[in-house]
């Protein structure tokens, strides 16, 4: 097992070192979707229907209460002729928080210099806008969060009220034509954006909080899961083209999500940072997971186009055809891509699922619980030197090669700092498990989600991994929860020593826990 692990992971690292820039798959977020449901069943029913969700309020010692949607999922347990009933599992998705996620800048961030995407060519080197874009996406997701609740959500018990977006009193300051910047100020060139767009960006880049999205349930006000608070000592200074500086006819009403998307796209077009926008969205999906800590983002390195002769166009064009597959180049395609946001929102609200997906690359279905150390130790012999050198570009590619479907999600984890805590857990073999995220993305990170092993030896025994799976799926007494370890147990158990339900289904074909066939309350 030691040799197999070393050979597998060192081959990923050797291939990654030869590559210039990240692979396109490292920002193609749609690859993670699979069978992910839309957030709050968005567009799953007609607008005339009223959805009923059960709310739960949970508070932990030292933490503010959080609002959850409580429901159940139904799982098909067999693909063959077997009378094993579908399994119903309770599940919760985060709906509201009371503390915005603090965001700070890390000067020595591994992504302080954007590595670019393979095939971008001359588009590389247009500055680092990851954090700026990562501050724009939370507003768009939060506005969509408010709109979904206003349009069709009916909650049991005390109905929510006060849903809405609003600007707060703080905003980013403007910089004059001849004004100099202090060392702690970062200039952001907005180009010739109109007043409402400029006001929006002033709120997005405001020190602290420049906007708020909230909802009220049972008299308690909850914020959007993607609410942020910029706590960095560096502050943004905004610049507009000459002739735009003195326009202050700003709207007091925050824009809806579709309008904000237009402002966001225009900024991406001006600065030619479409691929960074995709990476920034992947980063923002980790903000609910980081809400009780601090999201450490790369210190921005924005460029000014004043005097450069730069002319924005209506497309972000590239001479390389492959680049179009990495990021939507036209406004129409960008809008189409934005229709996937409700799916990304579901993944983001499933905090345990995010953690499990990030751990999933280290899981191997062939590794039994007695061989975990032999599998894990060579992995960190490969990873640790990359971490020590700060070579997160290579590490991002390595993880992408290990599990291509989730490459973009891990890119966001490295940029946001979420991956650091994951590595600490994995190092001692503690991998998070959450089977909804597994089924939705078509990945596996626990032996429970694997298919039964072929019969080995006599028919008078069953492998312990199959026994454990059946105990869980057959809902035997005291086995209604997932096993505490994702690694399969080794050995076999005589059938005569197993539970009655295990004996009944031990030879049934197609026993599985990979297909979630329904969600409800």
């Amino acid at each position: 097992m030691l040799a197999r692990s070393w050979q597998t992971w060192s081959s990923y690292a050797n291939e990654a070192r030869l590559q210039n820039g990240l692979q396109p798959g490292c920002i193609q977020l749609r690859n993670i979707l699979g069978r992910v449901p839309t957030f709050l069943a968005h567009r799953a029913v007609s607008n005339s229907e009223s959805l009923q969700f059960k709310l739960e309020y949970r508070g932990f010692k030292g933490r503010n209460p959080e609002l959850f949607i409580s429901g159940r999922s139904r799982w098909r347990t067999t693909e063959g002729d077997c009378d094993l009933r579908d399994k119903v599992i309770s599940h919760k998705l985060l709906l509201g928080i009371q503390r915005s996620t603090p965001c700070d800048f890390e000067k020595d961030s591994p992504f302080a210099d954007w590595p670019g995407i393979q095939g971008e060519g001359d588009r590389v080197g247009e500055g680092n806008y990851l954090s700026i874009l990562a501050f724009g996406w939370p507003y768009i997701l939060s506005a969509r969060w408010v709109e979904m609740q206003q349009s069709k959500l009916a909650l049991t018990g005390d109905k929510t009220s006060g849903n809405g977006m609003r600007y707060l009193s703080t905003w980013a300051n403007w910089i004059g034509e001849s004004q100099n910047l202090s060392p702690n100020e970062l200039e952001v060139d907005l180009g010739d954006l109109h007043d409402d767009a400029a006001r929006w960006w002033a709120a997005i880049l405001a020190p602290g909080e420049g906007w708020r999205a909230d909802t009220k349930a049972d008299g308690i006000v909850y914020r959007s899961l993607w609410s942020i608070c910029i706590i960095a000592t560096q502050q943004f200074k905004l610049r507009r083209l000459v002739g735009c500086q003195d326009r202050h006819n700003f709207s007091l009403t925050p824009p809806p999500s579709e309008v904000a998307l237009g402002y966001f796209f225009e900024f991406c077009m001006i600065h030619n940072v479409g691929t960074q926008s995709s990476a920034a969205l992947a980063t923002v999906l980790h903000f609910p997971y980081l809400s009780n800590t601090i999201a450490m983002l790369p210190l921005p390195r924005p460029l000014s186009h004043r005097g450069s002769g730069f002319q924005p166009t209506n497309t972000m064009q590239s001479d390389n055809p492959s680049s179009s597959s990495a990021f939507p180049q036209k406004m129409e395609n960008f809008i189409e891509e934005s229709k996937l946001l409700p799916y990304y929102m579901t993944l983001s609200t499933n905090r345990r699922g995010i953690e499990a997906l990030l751990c999933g690359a280290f899981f191997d279905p062939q590794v039994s619980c007695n061989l975990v150390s032999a599998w894990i130790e060579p992995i960190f012999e490969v990873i640790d030197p990359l971490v020590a050198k700060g070579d997160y570009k290579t590490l991002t590619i390595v993880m992408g090669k290990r599990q291509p479907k989730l490459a973009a999600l891990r890119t966001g984890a490295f940029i946001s700092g979420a991956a650091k805590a994951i590595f600490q857990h994995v190092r001692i073999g503690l991998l998070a498990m959450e089977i909804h995220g597994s089924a939705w993305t078509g990945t596996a990170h626990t032996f429970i989600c694997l298919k039964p092993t072929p019969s080995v030896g006599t028919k008078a025994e069953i492998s312990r991994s199959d026994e454990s799976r059946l105990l869980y799926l057959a809902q035997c007494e005291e086995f209604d929860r997932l096993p505490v370890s994702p690694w399969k147990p080794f050995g076999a158990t005589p059938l005569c020593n197993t539970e009655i339900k295990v004996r009944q289904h031990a030879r049934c074909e197609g026993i599985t826990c990979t297909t979630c066939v329904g969600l409800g309350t």
Side-chain angles (χ1 to χ4, degrees):
M1 185 58 68
L2 279 165
R4 176 174 171 266
S5 177
W6 171 259
Q7 183 178 7
T8 299
W9 287 86
S10 60
S11 66
Y12 297 148
N14 293 335
E15 292 174 14
R17 290 188 185 98
L18 300 176
Q19 297 180 357
N20 182 25
L22 300 177
Q23 294 180 307
C26 290
I27 61 166
Q28 290 173 338
L29 200 53
R30 64 167 57 202
N31 291 347
I32 71 176
L33 292 181
R35 299 177 56 131
V36 179
T38 60
F39 185 60
L40 299 182
H42 180 62
R43 292 181 179 167
V45 296
S46 65
N47 289 332
S48 61
E49 293 185 59
S50 179
L51 299 179
Q52 296 291 324
F53 289 99
K54 180 182 178 181
L55 291 183
E56 283 194 15
Y57 312 91
R58 294 175 59 185
F60 301 94
K61 188 175 181 180
R63 296 185 185 179
N64 293 319
E66 295 176 328
L67 182 63
F68 289 84
I69 298 174
S70 179
R72 295 177 298 171
S73 57
R74 184 167 56 87
W75 295 73
R76 183 177 298 125
T77 57
T78 177
E79 296 174 351
D81 296 329
C82 176
D83 61 357
L84 189 62
R85 293 180 300 170
D86 289 351
K87 185 174 180 65
V88 176
I89 303 175
S90 298
H91 190 53
K92 297 179 179 65
L93 292 177
L94 189 62
L95 181 62
I97 58 178
Q98 289 192 302
R99 174 180 179 266
S100 300
T101 301
C103 296
D104 202 352
F105 296 137
E106 186 177 4
K107 265 191 175 181
D108 299 323
S109 167
F111 282 89
D113 295 310
W114 173 241
I117 304 298
Q118 294 174 30
E120 276 192 313
D122 293 336
R123 291 172 61 192
V124 180
E126 284 293 321
N128 189 335
Y129 290 82
L130 283 172
S131 296
I132 295 173
L133 300 172
F135 295 152
W137 278 119
Y139 178 99
I140 295 168
L141 294 175
S142 298
R144 190 68 61 90
W145 174 82
V146 167
E147 291 159 6
M148 288 179 185
Q149 294 181 74
Q150 290 176 335
S151 64
K152 61 169 59 175
L153 182 61
L155 298 161
T156 59
D158 183 23
K159 305 229 172 152
T160 60
S161 60
N163 300 337
M165 301 287 302
R166 67 181 188 276
Y167 284 139
L168 301 182
S169 58
T170 57
W171 57 3
N173 292 324
W174 302 94
I175 182 171
E177 185 63 25
S178 58
Q179 186 176 346
N180 295 323
L181 295 174
S182 71
N184 283 331
E185 292 178 333
L186 302 168
E187 177 185 343
V188 180
D189 192 342
L190 297 181
D192 193 16
L193 296 182
H194 62 77
D195 290 329
D196 289 346
R199 173 64 183 96
W200 184 74
W201 277 108
I204 295 303
L205 301 179
E209 299 182 64
W211 56 271
R212 182 70 56 80
D214 51 30
T215 187
K216 182 183 289 186
D218 285 345
I220 302 176
V221 176
Y222 295 92
R223 302 178 188 179
S224 157
L225 325 176
W226 302 278
S227 299
I228 60 171
C229 177
I230 303 176
I231 62 173
T233 56
Q234 299 87 350
Q235 294 190 5
F236 293 103
K237 284 293 189 76
L238 308 183
R239 186 186 296 276
R240 300 171 73 187
L241 291 181
V242 177
C244 300
Q245 303 283 1
D246 297 328
R247 300 177 191 171
H248 297 291
N249 299 318
F250 295 137
S251 172
L252 299 177
T253 304
S257 61
E258 292 297 330
V259 175
L261 270 169
Y263 299 159
F264 188 84
F265 175 81
E266 189 175 358
F267 182 88
C268 293
M269 182 176 63
I270 290 173
H271 295 281
N272 205 12
V273 288
T275 53
Q276 292 188 43
S277 168
S278 297
L281 177 56
T283 301
V284 170
L285 296 187
H286 295 85
F287 282 1
Y289 175 72
L290 295 169
S291 61
N292 293 309
T293 58
I294 299 177
M296 299 300 296
L297 304 176
L299 182 66
R301 294 181 179 176
L303 301 181
S304 175
H305 293 295
R306 289 181 302 129
S308 65
F310 178 83
Q311 293 294 328
T313 60
N314 61 355
T315 61
M316 290 182 286
Q317 297 179 359
S318 170
D319 294 332
N320 191 321
S322 65
S323 66
S324 62
S325 64
F327 182 79
Q329 303 295 303
K330 297 182 180 180
M331 183 59 177
E332 301 80 44
N333 294 338
F334 186 79
I335 293 175
E336 285 299 313
E337 188 78 4
S338 73
K339 293 179 181 178
L340 300 177
L341 290 181
Y343 300 94
Y344 301 141
M345 291 167 72
T346 298
L347 276 180
S348 186
T349 61
N350 190 14
R351 287 193 296 200
R352 183 66 173 176
I354 286 286
E355 184 179 6
L357 292 175
L358 295 178
C359 290
F362 301 96
F363 175 76
D364 190 289
Q366 299 181 39
V367 178
S368 55
C369 61
N370 60 326
L371 297 175
V372 174
S373 293
W375 170 254
I376 293 293
E377 287 178 10
I379 295 176
F380 283 94
E381 288 181 14
V382 173
I383 288 178
D384 284 342
L386 298 176
V387 174
K389 292 190 299 183
D391 189 2
Y392 281 82
K393 184 210 80 170
T394 300
L395 186 53
T396 301
I397 298 174
V398 167
M399 302 304 292
K401 286 182 175 293
R402 174 64 182 170
Q403 204 170 32
K405 275 186 179 181
L406 304 181
L409 192 67
R410 290 196 178 86
T411 300
F414 285 123
I415 295 172
S416 66
K420 294 180 180 179
I422 298 298
F423 282 170
Q424 294 173 0
H425 298 157
V426 172
R427 192 180 293 273
I428 56 176
L430 295 179
L431 274 62
M433 297 180 294
E434 204 288 303
I435 62 175
H436 292 86
S438 175
W440 293 343
T441 58
T443 58
H445 43 252
T446 170
F447 76 92
I448 288 293
C449 295
L450 303 177
K451 293 186 180 296
T453 54
S455 298
V456 179
T458 68
K459 293 186 178 181
E461 61 182 17
I462 182 174
S463 70
R464 290 184 62 212
S465 59
D466 288 350
E467 179 190 11
S468 298
R469 187 182 299 105
L470 271 172
L471 285 169
Y472 176 68
L473 295 180
Q475 305 174 56
C476 295
E477 188 176 355
E478 298 182 359
F479 292 95
D480 57 335
R481 300 182 66 178
L482 279 173
V484 295
S485 172
W487 310 100
K488 65 181 181 180
F490 61 93
T493 303
L495 275 176
C496 60
N497 293 339
T498 62
E499 294 279 345
I500 294 177
K501 288 185 178 180
V502 172
R503 279 177 259 165
Q504 289 175 340
H505 299 284
R507 302 306 170 201
C508 295
E509 295 183 358
I511 300 297
T512 180
C513 186
T514 59
T515 306
C516 180
V517 295
L519 293 169
T521 58

